[in-house]
Amino acid sequence: MAKKRILSGVQSSGTLHLGNYFGMMRPSIQMQEDDNNECFYFIANFHALTQLPEPALLRERTFNVALDFLACGINPEKTVFFRQSDVNEVQELSWILSCLTPMGLLERCHSYKDKLAHGQEANHGLFAYPVLMAADILLYDSNAVPVGKDQKQHLEVTRDIAIRFNNRYGETLVVPEPMIAEEVAVIPGLDGQKMSKSYNNAIEIFGEGKPIRKKFMSIVTDSTPMEAPKTPDTCNVFKLFKLMATPEEQEELRQRYLAGGMGYGHAKQALYEKYEEYFREARERRKELAANPQKVEDILQDGASRARKVARATLDRVRAAVGLA
Ligand code: ADP
Ligand code: TRP
């Protein structure tokens, strides 16, 4: 049976947070365990360039995303893990797909409008972002793409472009499916809105010391008084706790919410301790990797060379189909 190709990417546009972890990284990493899957994961540094970071910062963030991902459990023996910019074939496919992409399709993208609303400058890269993302996905004949809910529209754009391509040039591209797990579709941030690097409401995966504890303590809750019973399922603290705790631990905290007499400070402390424990091993692994940057670079280079083989084959097919070869 042909293996199922799973692909996803994360931009190196800041420090990775719990939204990235539970929404995209954990489900992606779990996919490795099934031998029927063949996973391709990459660091979208071309996409991060749309925000024009300082060169040293872009480099540093890209390296940090590699560390985060590897520390969280990517197994480079099984999974092809690479840097987007190391496989330049994606740019050629992106151009070819661009020519098939109606302006209106991109004009409707929420993520673009949202970024403008948050003060980002409207450059062409930002506008064309979904086309490059479609190229990322289609270049590797991906069957399924695990992402958080905010990427759903980008997946629809990708499917739309692939279908247009196949209609015009004959069956050439694999039409991918999004994989969005409902329970982790939107992880709330400190303020209860979707956690995001750009909303200043994120909890880093690998935060340490007082500043991170302070963040946990600042999670917004309602104003139910200490004595009164509280509703766990609408509480941001409980929502985050649920992601990391065992069913028994969840039930115990749930009962304390329902019984009353527990302040939110207590729940936040429990959450903070759970977080410390949950990421403890990964934090150790991250430190070891950080002390060995050459090893990380070697993994990325090896990933790029494996990715390039697949990319080349797809691109040859595409070039032939459109009349470039
Ligand atoms: P950010 O919003 O912080 O810029 P990205 O857009 O780089 O995050 O997202 C990287 C991946 O993490 C995507 O698959 C995205 O859907 C997922 N993700 C980000 N934030 C969340 C969240 N709060 N809940 C669920 N998934 C998320
Ligand atoms: N746009 C995605 C995000 O912001 C990152 C990304 C780029 C991606 N290319 C991709 C995700 C391809 C999945 C597949 O998170």
Side-chain angles (χ1 to χ4, degrees), residues 211-222:
I212 195 77
R213 182 169 182 278
K214 218 170 133 192
K215 279 200 178 172
F216 278 97
M217 293 302 157
S218 74
I219 297 174
V220 172
T221 48
D222 63 24

Side-chain angles (χ1 to χ4, degrees), residues 8-25 28 51 111 114-115 129 133 145-152 154 180-181 183-189 193-199 201-202:
S8 195
V10 63
Q11 283 192 77
S12 46
S13 53
T15 307
L16 296 188
H17 52 71
L18 297 182
N20 299 135
Y21 181 75
F22 291 108
M24 179 271 193
M25 296 165 74
S28 301
Q51 296 178 21
S111 151
D114 196 53
K115 283 174 179 154
Y129 182 115
M133 179 158 163
V145 184
V147 282
K149 199 172 181 176
D150 57 344
Q151 296 299 315
K152 191 168 178 227
H154 287 158
I180 302 170
E183 65 286 5
V184 293
V186 186
I187 310 297
Q193 278 193 75
K194 180 204 129 164
M195 188 179 290
S196 170
K197 291 178 266 247
S198 33
Y199 300 165
N201 66 355

Side-chain angles (χ1 to χ4, degrees), residues 116-317:
L116 297 196
H118 279 85
Q120 223 181 302
E121 208 183 307
N123 63 50
H124 175 253
L126 197 63
F127 185 67
Y129 182 115
V131 183
L132 179 59
M133 179 158 163
D136 286 326
I137 297 169
L138 302 175
L139 188 60
Y140 299 103
D141 289 337
S142 313
N143 301 111
V145 184
V147 282
K149 199 172 181 176
D150 57 344
Q151 296 299 315
K152 191 168 178 227
Q153 194 182 32
H154 287 158
L155 259 298
E156 282 159 8
V157 170
T158 301
R159 288 171 54 87
D160 190 324
I161 294 175
I163 292 167
R164 274 169 202 274
F165 190 103
N166 290 344
N167 283 342
R168 181 169 171 92
Y169 297 111
E171 285 302 314
T172 312
L173 298 171
V174 174
V175 182
E177 298 289 336
M179 266 177 76
I180 302 170
E182 220 18 76
E183 65 286 5
V184 293
V186 186
I187 310 297
L190 298 175
D191 53 0
Q193 278 193 75
K194 180 204 129 164
M195 188 179 290
S196 170
K197 291 178 266 247
S198 33
Y199 300 165
N200 219 351
N201 66 355
I203 301 174
E204 307 87 284
I205 305 173
F206 293 113
E208 278 192 86
K210 275 201 183 129
I212 195 77
R213 182 169 182 278
K214 218 170 133 192
K215 279 200 178 172
F216 278 97
M217 293 302 157
S218 74
I219 297 174
V220 172
T221 48
D222 63 24
S223 51
T224 317
M226 162 103 174
E227 320 72 60
K230 300 178 174 59
T231 324
D233 293 317
T234 53
C235 175
N236 295 321
V237 178
F238 193 76
K239 283 184 196 163
L240 292 172
F241 186 81
K242 261 173 70 174
L243 295 165
M244 298 180 247
T246 63
E248 295 75 33
E249 290 165 339
Q250 292 177 37
E251 191 50 33
E252 193 189 324
L253 189 62
R254 173 187 295 282
Q255 292 308 329
R256 296 203 60 182
Y257 268 78
L258 298 174
M262 177 195 74
Y264 283 120
H266 177 89
K268 289 177 184 178
Q269 178 65 26
L271 171 63
Y272 168 67
E273 286 170 15
K274 186 83 297 197
Y275 159 87
E276 285 279 299
E277 180 194 321
Y278 190 86
F279 290 105
R280 187 168 296 138
E281 264 179 47
R283 194 171 287 129
E284 290 310 311
R285 271 202 299 275
R286 193 182 189 285
K287 284 189 182 142
E288 282 164 28
L289 284 164
N292 199 347
Q294 190 56 46
K295 181 172 172 189
V296 176
E297 186 56 34
D298 290 347
I299 291 173
L300 292 172
Q301 289 299 335
D302 175 60
S305 89
R306 287 150 74 194
R308 209 172 293 122
K309 286 204 188 91
V310 179
R312 221 29 275 169
T314 312
L315 197 56
D316 287 348
R317 238 164 47 224

